[in-house]
């Protein structure tokens, strides 16, 4: 049970004893879960185990200072903390270890993540927000080392925004910005750049953030002397320590086995962060790892006998037990009784979790055996099917894979037969796959009525007085409308604030809306994205600007591992509808080529990737995204900011649909598919092709993820029977992704009379200058000749060879 206490004042000795013993019970329960959990992995019931043993007591102290409304962004060993705030039971712990796909039984991820990764539920079943101010909150953990740090920054910054920006409806999200964001990390992971980037950014932003470094001196088998200068992270971070003249961090140190000092330290840290809104680092030293890093190996291989003896003596649970007896809180006999009772409780929880997990699987096994028995009786291959049935029956603790695999193998033996029992087997297999597959595949995107793909298109309208303006003006005025109508929206990035971004798409908006809503940040792409993730988890609608598409590589790991998986790995119980704004396409030179599209598409499933051809389309995307729940990357065309566009009469209302293509030119001879800046070249070539009697249909993809949900490209190919995809990405990149969708999802191969082709950039990135671009990416000449070549192959008499 979670308690917030003062161990020195306003509490009777009896109450004090009760609280301490309650904490000790949680520590013992957590340790017993770790010990039994390791055994379950080694016996094969669970696949892998990484546990929080050795970190129990400091996590109890952290839980005491953690208040409702606060947020955790943690390390995958914080099971004791989660138990202390009543968000994890022993039975749920084992359900996670067994990867139970029932969210009610395994609320941390419904079996989508290994044990040790924790979360609390922020959303109701319809996707609406719970009241986060009245509950303890934990953002969903990820495994990548230090990957939790950028998100932590955003969780803390949200409190600063809620406290200082007027007009935001803070119901369900904040009480005067008093919430603290708590981060945890292993000492070895502080070697990661993400840790240092976050520490620096938090010091600059001055946000209420507390980072606990659990220091057991090892990173798997590698000692701290190989990890950290001076073998001491707080020592080398002394330059971040605040003083009377300079802002920075408050840095505290405490031994991880000293229960009263830990409680006092965490209360002090919480007071500083909560009242002064400054970041705090707590370096928790002299911790141990009794079972080693994980079930993948034994720490006896790399720790000396002296170190192992030291760890046994300094085990935080052992030291807390000694302190309890020394201070007359309980006798040894009383503690033995407590420990025995808890061991029985945990063993029973393990047993219950396993039986509940296995029960429906055993029922399916029984059903499959019954079906196979009937199939065998009716088949000429009875002997083979009987053997498969018997093999399945011999498995005492089957998996669903075992059951379905045996059924599918049996089906092979009936290929040339037809009888009712075979149909029964086919139906059973199909029905089970259809029922079970969503348990592993659902919620990559929102499945509520706030899915981005459900937001309907509102086309721009014009009148005779609609002026021609630079594309950047359309963006600027649309952002102005957004900031006026959505007080929870803020944008931040490199050069975003004072100068209104490098292309003046935000010109004058910082002066109008303030430095917190239109903000400049340092050169630190990973934590720019982290700011956005954390704030969106708390109900704000951030737009994180990455100056150029190429720079997104610095943040790609965070986008891929954290943002793209948030909704999926929580099975719809958390959402992070972050909008990432960037710019690319048709640039000159290696570093501004926009040739990362294929990598982005393959690494960011779970995020919409939108490629508007002009700024009106881009403005419409931003308007659409703010009405939906899915995160997105909007890639504006860098060479479109100064191109003239008509100013829509209904600018603030336009909505560009997501997952919908647009046909820009009707045609009958060939379908040309492209996106972004390259599309303007394709449009011009389509006009040139008319001079040689080739009538091309031109389609703007608009949205790469999701892709053409209405299958309009297949409908076009059915008419033209030919396809050319033009893409500035490298071969096998976005063009391969587009082609795969057209052929394997839309099944457009059946309409083709010619080989579908792609015209892409070269394998390398473009060299600098106009000639570099011409010889590296598809030019108008390349496109014309590629189309003509397809037509020549089809009808060489009408279209003789060009060159």
């Amino acid at each position: 049970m979670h308690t917030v206490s003062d161990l020195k004042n306003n509490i009777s000795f009896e109450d004090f004893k009760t609280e301490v013993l309650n904490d000790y019970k949680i520590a013992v329960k957590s340790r017993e879960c770790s010990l039994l959990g390791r055994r379950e992995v080694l016996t094969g019931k669970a696949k892998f185990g990484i546990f929080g043993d050795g970190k129990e007591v400091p996590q109890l102290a952290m839980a005491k200072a953690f208040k409702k409304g606060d947020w955790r962004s943690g390390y995958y060993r914080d099971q004791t903390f989660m138990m202390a705030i009543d968000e994890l039971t022993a039975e749920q712990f084992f359900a996670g270890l067994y990867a139970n796909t029932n969210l009610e039984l395994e609320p941390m991820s419904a079996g989508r993540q290994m044990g040790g990764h924790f979360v609390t539920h922020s959303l109701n079943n319809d996707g609406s927000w719970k009241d986060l101010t009245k509950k303890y909150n934990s953002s969903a953990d990820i495994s990548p080392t230090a990957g939790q740090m950028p998100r932590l920054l955003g969780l803390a910054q949200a409190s600063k925004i809620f406290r200082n920006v007027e007009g935001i409806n803070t119901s369900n999200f904040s009480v005067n910005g008093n919430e603290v964001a708590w981060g945890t990390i292993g000492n070895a992971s502080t070697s990661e750049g993400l840790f240092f980037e976050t520490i620096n950014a938090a010091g600059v932003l001055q946000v209420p953030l507390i980072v606990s470094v659990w220091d057991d001196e090892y990173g798997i088998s590698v000692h701290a002397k190989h990890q950290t200068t001076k073998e001491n992270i707080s020592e080398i971070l002394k330059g971040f320590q605040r003083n009377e003249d300079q802002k920075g961090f408050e840095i505290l140190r405490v031994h991880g086995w000293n229960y009263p000092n830990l409680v006092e330290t965490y209360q002090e840290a919480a007071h500083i962060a909560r009242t002064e809104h400054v970041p705090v680092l707590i370096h928790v030293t002299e911790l141990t790892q009794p079972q080693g890093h994980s079930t993948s190996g034994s720490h006896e291989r790399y720790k000396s006998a002296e170190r192992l003896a030291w760890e046994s003596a300094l085990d935080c649970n052992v030291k807390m037990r000694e302190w309890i007896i020394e201070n007359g809180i309980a006798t040894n006999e009383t503690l033995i009784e407590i420990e025995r009772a808890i061991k029985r409780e945990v063993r029973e929880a393990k047993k219950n979790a396993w039986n509940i997990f296995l029960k429906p699987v055993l029922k399916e096994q029984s059903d499959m055996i019954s079906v196979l028995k009937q199939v065998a009786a009716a088949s000429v291959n009875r002997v083979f099917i009987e053997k498969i049935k018997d093999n399945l029956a011999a498995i005492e603790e089957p998996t669903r894979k075992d059951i379905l695999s045996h059924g599918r193998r049996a089906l092979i033996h009936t290929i040339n037969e037809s009888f009712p029992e075979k149909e029964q087997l086919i139906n059973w297999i199909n029905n089970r796959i259809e029922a079970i597959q969503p348990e592993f595949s659902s919620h990559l995107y929102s499945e509520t009525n706030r899915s981005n793909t459900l937001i309907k298109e509102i086309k721009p309208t014009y009148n005779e007085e609609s002026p021609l303006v630079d594309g950047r003006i359309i963006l600027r005025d649309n952002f102005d409308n957004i900031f006026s109508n959505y007080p929870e929206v803020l944008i931040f990035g490199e050069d975003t604030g004072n100068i209104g971004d490098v292309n003046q798409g935000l010109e004058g908006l910082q002066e109008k809306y303030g430095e917190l809503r239109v903000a400049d940040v340092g050169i630190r792409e990973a934590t720019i994205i982290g700011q956005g993730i954390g704030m969106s988890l708390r109900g704000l609608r951030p737009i994180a600007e990455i100056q150029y598409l190429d720079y997104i590589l610095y943040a790609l790991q965070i986008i891929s591992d954290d943002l793209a998986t948030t909704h999926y790995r929580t099975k719809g119980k958390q959402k992070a509808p972050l909008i990432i704004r960037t710019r690319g396409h048709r640039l000159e030179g290696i570093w501004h080529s926009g040739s990362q599209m294929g990598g982005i598409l393959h690494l960011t499933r779970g995020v919409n990737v939108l490629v508007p051809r002009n700024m009106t389309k881009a403005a419409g995307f931003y308007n659409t995204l703010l009405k939906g729940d899915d995160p997105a990357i909007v890639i504006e065309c860098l060479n479109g900011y100064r191109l003239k566009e008509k100013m829509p009469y209904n600018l603030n209302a336009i909505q560009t649909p997501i997952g919908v293509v647009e046909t820009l030119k009707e045609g009958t001879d060939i379908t040309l598919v492209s996106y972004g800046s390259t599309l303007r070249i394709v449009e011009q070539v389509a006009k040139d092709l008319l001079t040689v009697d080739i009538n091309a249909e031109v389609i703007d993809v608009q949205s790469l993820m999701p892709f053409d949900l209405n299958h309009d490209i297949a409908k076009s190919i059915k008419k033209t029977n030919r396809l050319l995809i033009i893409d500035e990405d490298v071969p096998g990149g976005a063009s391969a992704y587009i082609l795969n969708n057209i052929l394997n999802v839309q099944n457009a191969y059946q309409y083709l009379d010619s080989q579908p082709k792609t015209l892409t950039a070269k394998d390398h990135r473009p060299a600098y200058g106009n000639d570099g671009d011409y010889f590296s990416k598809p030019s108008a000449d390349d496109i014309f000749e590629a189309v003509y070549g397809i037509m020549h192959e089809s009808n060489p008499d009408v279209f003789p060879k060009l060159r």
Side-chain angles (χ1 to χ4, degrees):
M1 180 180 294
H2 175 69
T3 54
V4 177
S5 68
D6 182 342
L7 292 185
K8 293 183 176 179
N9 304 305
N10 302 320
I11 185 171
S12 69
F13 186 64
E14 288 304 314
D15 288 341
F16 170 72
K17 287 200 302 182
T18 299
E19 182 172 333
V20 171
L21 288 177
N22 183 61
D23 283 349
Y24 183 66
K25 290 174 183 177
I26 295 171
V28 173
K29 181 189 293 185
S30 179
R31 178 64 62 86
E32 191 64 19
C33 283
S34 295
L35 295 172
L36 287 184
R38 183 179 179 88
R39 293 179 200 168
E40 292 301 275
V41 174
L42 298 179
T43 60
K45 286 184 178 179
K47 219 173 179 185
F48 182 77
I50 191 160
F51 306 110
D53 47 303
K55 316 297 187 292
E56 292 91 348
V57 177
Q59 289 179 27
L60 291 170
M62 175 176 154
K64 288 181 176 298
F66 193 92
K67 292 186 176 181
K68 288 185 176 180
D70 285 0
W71 279 82
R72 166 188 167 274
S73 182
Y75 178 43
Y76 44 68
R77 297 189 188 276
D78 291 347
Q79 70 198 45
T80 309
F81 170 82
M82 295 299 290
M83 290 177 175
I85 63 170
D86 285 334
E87 289 291 344
L88 178 69
T89 67
E91 200 161 308
Q92 290 168 345
F93 172 90
F94 287 104
L97 198 62
Y98 304 139
N100 194 317
T101 58
N102 186 318
L103 190 62
E104 292 184 6
L105 300 173
E106 202 285 272
M108 298 303 137
S109 75
R112 297 181 177 194
Q113 294 208 95
M114 70 178 77
H117 295 72
F118 306 112
V119 71
T120 55
H121 296 180
S122 301
L123 305 178
N124 298 306
N125 290 336
D126 64 356
S128 61
W129 293 100
K130 294 177 180 286
D131 188 343
L132 305 182
T133 68
K134 294 181 179 178
K135 62 193 303 293
Y136 304 113
N137 302 292
S138 174
S139 57
D141 292 343
I142 57 176
S143 288
T145 49
Q148 72 274 27
M149 293 298 294
R151 174 196 341 135
L152 172 65
L153 180 68
L155 290 169
Q157 188 182 2
S159 290
K160 183 174 182 177
I161 298 299
F162 285 131
R163 178 172 287 191
N164 294 287
V165 175
E166 295 181 358
I168 300 175
N169 181 2
T170 60
S171 300
N172 293 348
F173 303 117
S174 180
V175 179
N176 301 319
N178 291 330
E179 302 79 22
V180 172
W182 301 75
T184 62
I185 188 169
N187 63 298
S189 295
T190 64
S191 300
E192 293 277 13
L194 292 175
F195 173 80
F196 284 95
E197 188 172 322
T198 302
I199 292 294
N200 179 58
V204 171
L205 291 172
Q206 289 293 284
V207 290
L209 168 156
I210 299 175
V211 180
S212 296
V213 179
W214 307 143
D215 190 349
D216 56 30
E217 295 188 17
Y218 282 85
I220 306 183
S221 66
V222 180
H223 191 268
K225 65 184 178 183
H226 302 296
Q227 305 273 4
T228 310
T229 303
K230 300 182 180 180
E231 300 181 32
N232 190 314
I233 189 63
S234 59
E235 181 68 20
I236 66 172
L237 290 177
K238 277 184 176 180
F240 286 89
Q241 175 69 54
R242 63 177 183 160
N243 55 44
E244 292 181 0
D245 301 318
Q246 295 174 309
K247 295 178 179 179
F249 264 74
E250 187 62 50
I251 299 177
L252 307 173
R253 298 182 187 177
V254 62
H255 292 321
W257 47 264
N258 193 321
Y259 174 74
N261 282 3
L262 282 162
V263 172
E264 184 177 357
T265 299
Y266 273 89
Q267 295 291 337
E268 179 186 358
H271 177 76
I272 293 169
R274 205 177 302 280
T275 59
E276 300 181 48
H277 258 218
V278 297
V280 182
L281 183 135
I282 304 175
H283 187 188
V284 185
T285 61
E286 297 193 3
L287 283 170
T288 67
Q289 203 149 273
Q291 298 187 111
H293 174 263
S294 67
T295 55
S296 61
S298 171
H299 62 157
E300 284 84 1
R301 291 182 301 159
Y302 53 84
K303 289 178 182 175
S304 66
E306 291 77 14
R307 172 69 192 191
L308 291 170
W310 180 91
E311 290 198 5
S312 294
L314 269 291
D315 184 305
C316 64
N317 283 16
V318 171
K319 296 296 287 184
M320 184 178 182
R321 192 182 195 282
E322 292 173 355
W323 177 83
I324 289 171
I325 295 172
E326 288 170 3
N327 285 273
I329 296 169
T331 63
N332 180 55
E333 290 72 21
T334 298
L335 295 183
I336 289 174
E337 289 180 12
I338 288 173
E339 291 155 2
R340 286 174 176 170
I342 289 173
K343 286 183 178 182
R344 288 193 297 270
E345 176 189 340
V346 173
R347 284 197 298 270
E348 189 65 25
K350 175 184 73 69
K351 180 181 176 181
N352 289 341
W354 178 249
N355 289 338
I356 290 171
F357 172 73
L358 194 59
K359 184 177 180 180
V361 183
L362 290 174
K363 172 66 167 58
E364 291 170 24
Q365 180 192 36
S366 176
D367 291 345
M368 175 59 81
I369 290 169
S370 177
V371 172
L372 290 178
K373 185 176 181 180
Q374 296 176 55
V375 171
S379 175
V380 296
N381 289 315
R382 175 175 182 170
V383 173
F384 299 104
I385 298 172
E386 286 272 7
K387 184 176 181 181
I388 291 172
K389 172 183 70 69
D390 293 342
N391 288 342
L392 176 59
I395 303 175
E396 294 183 1
E397 295 176 341
T399 65
R400 287 193 165 101
K401 172 190 172 183
D402 293 328
I403 297 164
L404 282 166
S405 182
H406 279 75
R408 292 165 83 173
R409 289 204 302 272
L411 194 60
I412 296 171
H413 293 288
T414 67
I415 286 176
N416 296 315
E417 299 180 279
S418 179
F419 48 87
E421 292 81 1
K422 175 182 176 180
E423 291 302 314
Q424 184 183 0
L425 175 59
I426 291 171
N427 291 336
W428 197 98
I429 292 171
N430 290 344
N431 290 338
R432 291 316 298 154
I433 291 176
E434 184 179 352
I436 296 169
Q437 185 66 52
E439 298 297 327
F440 302 94
S441 303
S442 69
H443 295 90
L444 184 60
Y445 300 96
S446 172
E447 298 184 3
T448 72
N449 60 7
R450 285 183 58 85
S451 167
N452 287 354
T453 58
L454 298 180
I455 311 301
K456 300 299 183 183
E457 180 178 18
I458 298 178
K459 293 180 180 292
T461 57
Y462 306 94
N463 57 31
E464 294 179 357
E465 298 178 358
S466 297
L468 278 173
V469 298
D470 288 348
R472 72 174 188 88
I473 300 299
I474 291 174
L475 276 178
R476 183 199 65 189
D477 290 359
N478 191 65
F479 280 127
D480 193 3
N481 288 327
I482 285 172
F483 285 117
S484 294
N485 295 315
Y486 295 90
E488 67 274 19
V489 170
L490 56 153
I491 190 167
F492 45 92
E494 297 156 12
D495 300 299
T496 296
N498 184 41
I499 68 169
D501 85 43
V502 290
N503 299 103
Q504 282 74 63
L506 297 165
E507 180 187 24
L509 298 186
Q510 184 183 78
E511 184 177 357
K512 185 172 182 180
Y513 295 103
E515 294 185 3
L516 286 178
R517 292 192 67 194
V518 184
D520 286 313
V521 300
I523 300 176
R524 46 176 182 78
E525 287 78 10
T527 45
I528 290 173
I529 298 301
Q531 286 176 249
I533 296 172
M535 286 192 280
S536 62
L537 284 168
R538 294 191 60 187
L540 294 169
R541 292 307 306 261
I543 302 173
E545 181 169 318
I546 301 298
Q547 194 166 80
Y548 296 108
L549 183 64
D550 300 73
Y551 303 168
I552 216 166
L553 293 180
Y554 288 93
L556 194 53
Q557 184 260 317
I558 294 301
I559 298 171
S560 178
D561 289 328
D562 197 354
L563 179 64
T565 66
T566 295
H567 201 60
Y568 169 79
R569 72 180 188 269
T570 64
K571 203 174 184 181
K573 290 303 179 181
Q574 286 191 348
K575 60 184 176 183
L578 169 64
I579 300 171
I580 301 171
R581 181 193 182 209
T582 188
R583 48 193 65 83
H585 307 302
R586 302 301 298 180
L587 309 184
E588 296 173 347
I590 295 173
W591 313 122
H592 294 82
S593 60
S595 60
Q596 298 81 9
M597 199 67 74
I600 291 169
L601 289 170
H602 294 301
L603 291 169
T604 63
R605 304 296 168 93
V607 177
N608 294 160
V609 177
L610 310 176
V611 283
R613 68 179 181 272
N614 59 37
M615 302 311 162
T616 303
K617 287 290 183 179
F621 274 137
Y622 291 119
N623 294 343
T624 297
L625 291 169
L626 288 170
K627 295 185 177 180
D629 272 350
D630 294 309
I633 302 171
V634 181
I635 304 167
E636 299 165 7
C637 298
L638 184 69
N639 54 8
Y641 295 106
R642 302 291 172 180
L643 294 181
K644 300 297 182 183
E645 299 181 35
K646 268 192 174 185
M647 173 65 76
Y649 179 75
N650 62 334
L651 180 60
N652 64 334
I654 62 174
Q655 293 173 180
T656 307
I658 292 174
V660 178
V661 304
E662 183 175 1
T663 300
L664 302 182
K665 177 187 173 299
E666 299 279 352
T668 56
D669 294 325
I670 188 169
T671 298
L672 306 182
V673 176
S674 192
Y675 61 89
S677 293
T678 305
L679 197 67
R680 286 197 287 275
I681 304 173
V682 174
E683 285 187 281
Q684 181 56 53
V685 171
K687 294 176 183 177
D688 297 338
L689 287 168
L690 290 172
T691 65
V692 292
D693 296 325
I694 298 174
N695 187 6
E697 185 147 299
V698 178
I699 294 179
D700 179 6
V701 167
Q702 296 196 112
S703 168
L704 284 165
M705 287 200 308
F707 182 84
D708 190 12
L709 298 175
N710 299 325
H711 294 190
D712 289 327
I713 295 176
K715 296 169 189 173
S716 172
I717 295 170
K718 186 176 182 180
K719 176 175 59 174
T720 67
N721 309 121
R722 298 176 187 87
L723 170 66
L724 176 65
I725 299 165
I726 305 98
D727 180 26
E728 65 176 0
D729 197 12
V730 295
S735 60
Y737 164 83
I738 293 170
L739 185 61
N740 176 70
N741 269 278
I742 294 171
L743 296 183
N744 294 324
V745 178
Q746 300 186 13
N747 294 321
Y749 64 88
Q750 59 189 316
Y751 307 127
L752 288 165
D753 290 340
S754 299
Q755 176 188 350
K757 293 196 173 182
T758 62
L759 178 63
T760 69
K762 304 303 182 190
D763 283 329
H764 56 80
R765 298 189 190 181
Y768 179 66
N770 292 332
D771 284 346
D773 187 71
Y774 182 82
F775 285 97
S776 300
K777 288 191 172 186
S779 66
D781 299 326
D782 295 330
I783 298 168
F784 186 99
E785 292 182 2
V787 173
Y788 190 89
I790 293 171
M791 300 305 295
H792 164 72
E793 183 182 47
S794 173
N795 194 339
D797 293 333
V798 176
F799 303 100
K801 188 173 182 180
L802 188 60
R803 71 175 175 92

